[in-house]
Amino acid sequence: MAVSLKGRDFLTIHDWTREELTQVLDTADLLKLRQKAGLRDRPLEGRSVGLIFTKPSTRTRVSFEVGVYQLGAQPIYLSGADMQLRRGETLADTARTLSRYLDGIMIRTFAHADVEELARYADIPVINGLTDWQHPCQVMGDLMTIREKRGRLDGIHLAYVGAGNNMAHSLLEGGAKFGMRVTVAYPPEYPPDPVVVERAKADAARSGGSVELFPGDPEAAVAGADVVYTDVWASMGEEAQAEERARRMQAFRVTPALMARAKPDALFMHCLPAHRGEEVVDEVIDGPWSVVWDEAENRLHVQKAIMALVIA
């Protein structure tokens, strides 16, 4: 039975139960189906949602702005450069002020602690659009896509190949919640956060899934996988490390040869933007394995579901 999620923050996948996350996916499926049929659901008519960006974006900005509009609310774009934060106003004071004007906040920023602080002092729901530590909305869209393509999440083998970054963390948490087998291959110099790994293992033990790490061995991680996932070698804010990271991550490029280690009908996924020729080659991202455009579209539907469920 559905439970009310009104007023809830969505900061990490780990914070929500499998049942609550399933409610998001089911709602996203329904909203997508109705939109494709030409129907327009506007449950947030008359409300306003603030969209704070201190990290630039293509997909996050467009999908959230369009999603807020389609739900009937007014999106208000708030650049970090345009806010009083850059002149020394605290996050706590910003949260208190925005709570008097808005019905919800999405924030895409660097430090995860900033999102937690914003949520602590806001009286309205806060949604994490991305931090250096987590990317939960992206992974909810990924899970929606896998469920569309394979009809289930339980027992699916998801292999992530790349640095232990925010994508790896949220994929570990999402896969663990839904009984998936999650294998992660990464350069030993760039491991996933052990805190995330341990709590994902605990969730996987409860859901019937599993978490396995393969430092330095992408072929082992991908063997027999249903889904192969990768991300850029240097995330936003890591540009100064790009050359060193590229040197250490050559063996983690997703090629047709690596995809051949997965199941014959394996899916290839990427959160985008892709640096073609680095973490993935054209033959894969444009090939029969790729579902990256469906994945990108589903960001819109799953974020609409989250907002519709949490904003009163």
Side-chain angles (χ1 to χ4, degrees):
M1 189 170 90
V3 298
S4 175
L5 299 172
K6 297 295 184 186
R8 290 283 297 278
D9 298 319
F10 187 65
L11 307 188
T12 76
I13 290 175
H14 177 74
D15 295 336
W16 285 35
T17 67
R18 176 172 176 161
E19 291 70 28
E20 291 166 342
L21 296 167
T22 299
Q23 192 171 336
V24 171
L25 295 179
D26 291 345
T27 302
D29 286 344
L30 179 61
L31 289 172
K32 181 176 182 178
L33 183 66
R34 289 174 59 80
Q35 180 175 315
K36 298 294 186 185
L39 302 172
R40 293 291 181 262
D41 295 286
R42 299 174 66 85
L44 301 185
E45 190 78 50
R47 293 169 175 78
S48 297
V49 181
L51 308 175
I52 300 175
F53 287 85
T54 64
K55 263 189 176 183
S57 169
T58 300
R59 277 149 292 275
T60 301
R61 178 172 180 181
V62 175
S63 60
F64 265 106
E65 282 203 32
V66 170
V68 171
Y69 171 78
Q70 289 182 354
L71 292 172
Q74 177 186 13
I76 300 176
Y77 176 77
L78 300 165
S79 164
D82 297 332
M83 299 174 68
Q84 295 295 333
L85 285 169
R86 71 187 179 99
R87 297 179 59 195
E89 183 173 39
T90 67
L91 273 168
D93 287 351
T94 298
R96 293 181 179 109
T97 302
L98 293 180
S99 294
R100 301 298 180 99
Y101 303 142
L102 302 170
D103 299 285
I105 299 171
M106 187 287 304
I107 180 169
R108 176 184 168 98
T109 191
F110 292 89
H112 192 79
D114 288 350
V115 177
E116 293 178 325
E117 184 175 1
L118 189 72
R120 186 178 308 119
Y121 290 99
D123 296 327
I124 54 178
V126 172
I127 298 169
N128 177 8
L130 173 141
T131 67
D132 288 345
W133 195 53
Q134 296 280 339
H135 203 351
C137 290
Q138 173 67 52
V139 170
M140 289 302 294
D142 298 336
L143 295 173
M144 178 183 179
T145 306
I146 295 168
R147 199 170 76 156
E148 279 183 346
K149 302 298 182 182
R150 293 294 177 260
R152 62 187 174 93
L153 293 173
D154 272 300
I156 291 290
H157 176 186
L158 168 66
Y160 172 82
V161 177
N165 60 11
N166 51 5
M167 278 308 312
H169 295 159
S170 289
L171 287 167
L172 280 162
E173 293 186 354
K177 287 283 186 179
F178 283 97
M180 299 170 72
R181 179 190 176 200
V182 184
T183 57
V184 180
Y186 56 91
E189 299 87 353
Y190 308 120
D193 187 330
V195 172
V196 173
V197 173
E198 288 308 308
R199 70 188 195 182
K201 285 182 176 180
D203 281 340
R206 287 187 286 269
S207 70
S210 64
V211 168
E212 301 166 70
L213 303 183
F214 292 87
D217 197 349
E219 290 192 352
V222 167
D226 298 286
V227 181
V228 178
Y229 203 117
T230 194
D231 191 11
V232 295
W233 288 345
S235 298
M236 198 176 300
E238 297 173 340
E239 289 83 0
Q241 307 170 31
E243 187 174 336
E244 175 66 15
R245 283 175 168 261
R247 186 177 68 81
R248 296 183 181 277
M249 298 187 70
Q250 292 298 316
F252 293 82
R253 180 179 289 112
V254 180
T255 63
L258 187 63
M259 291 299 301
R261 301 277 298 176
K263 288 183 178 176
D265 62 347
L267 307 176
F268 170 74
M269 303 182 79
H270 192 305
C271 56
L272 303 178
H275 293 177
R276 291 166 176 259
E278 292 185 6
E279 74 274 6
V280 61
V281 299
D282 288 347
E283 293 91 334
V284 172
I285 196 169
D286 295 327
W289 307 278
S290 181
V291 294
V292 298
W293 314 120
D294 295 325
E295 183 186 0
E297 178 190 340
N298 282 341
R299 284 282 301 277
L300 169 66
H301 305 299
V302 86
Q303 289 164 185
K304 285 171 63 178
I306 293 167
M307 290 188 287
L309 290 167
V310 304
I311 296 175

